[in-house]
Amino acid sequence: MLEEALVVLATAGGTAVVQAAGTQAWDGLRARVARLLGRGDGERERGELERLDRTASALEAGGAAEVERVRLRQEVSWQTRFEALLEDVDGAERERVVADLQSLVQEQQAAAGGVSAREHGVAVGGSVEVRADHGSVAALRVGDVTLRNPSQPGPPQG
């Protein structure tokens, strides 16, 4: 089982692959991911290139109604591939793979003008809606926030 930091890295890797598809960064990222997952095996690398091409095609083919579902499915698929790679290596080889994957993610985030989060953080590149209904409570931590009951309105002015 991978430690939490490696799972987060694998997740970021999956997101980087999906974000790069269809952009100018795609060819470079595609080649790096295939090399990383191919681990020096030319045939395995070609297989990864084909898998990456299928990802790009799936993202392009997805209609407006299903694009989010396709995107999420592809992110999870690549996260799983990166997790499997990280589980298969140890010692110095794991350190190299971690460094390569971190570099790949950072470069993609920079190319996309992306967002990032530190440990235990959540990064959002779009809108976030936090909602509570029917007397429930919803929360999103944003620094130090104090919630209080609203003050009573003043007397009506008329």
Side-chain angles (χ1 to χ4, degrees):
M1 181 172 204
L2 291 176
E3 53 191 83
E4 183 179 348
L6 295 180
V7 172
V8 170
L9 179 58
T11 302
T15 301
V17 168
V18 170
Q19 286 178 341
T23 70
Q24 290 180 333
W26 178 243
D27 288 338
L29 182 124
R30 176 182 169 271
R32 288 182 66 191
V33 168
R35 250 189 330 272
L36 181 63
L37 291 170
R39 297 171 57 196
D41 180 327
E43 188 173 326
R44 188 185 298 172
E45 189 173 324
R46 282 187 294 281
E48 295 300 338
L49 287 169
E50 290 172 10
R51 189 173 279 114
L52 286 156
D53 290 341
R54 286 193 303 269
T55 291
S57 294
L59 291 165
E60 288 174 12
E66 64 181 34
V67 70
E68 184 67 14
R69 182 181 54 81
V70 171
R71 187 186 63 76
L72 289 172
R73 188 172 63 232
Q74 292 298 324
E75 284 180 3
V76 169
S77 175
W78 286 102
Q79 172 189 346
T80 302
R81 298 204 55 73
F82 290 128
E83 286 177 359
L85 172 63
L86 291 165
E87 287 173 346
D88 286 347
V89 296
D90 55 11
E93 188 176 5
R94 179 178 276 183
E95 290 176 18
R96 182 189 59 78
V97 168
V98 166
D100 289 348
L101 186 53
Q102 285 174 330
S103 173
L104 185 145
V105 167
Q106 289 169 350
E107 288 177 22
Q108 173 53 30
Q109 287 175 341
V115 296
S116 63
R118 300 211 186 274
E119 188 174 342
H120 304 295
V122 176
V124 178
S127 299
V128 174
E129 181 178 337
V130 179
R131 182 183 354 184
D133 29 341
H134 307 296
S136 64
V137 175
L140 174 67
R141 182 173 178 175
V142 180
D144 294 322
V145 176
T146 303
L147 299 175
R148 297 185 194 133
N149 287 330
S151 58
Q152 293 295 321
Q157 296 183 9

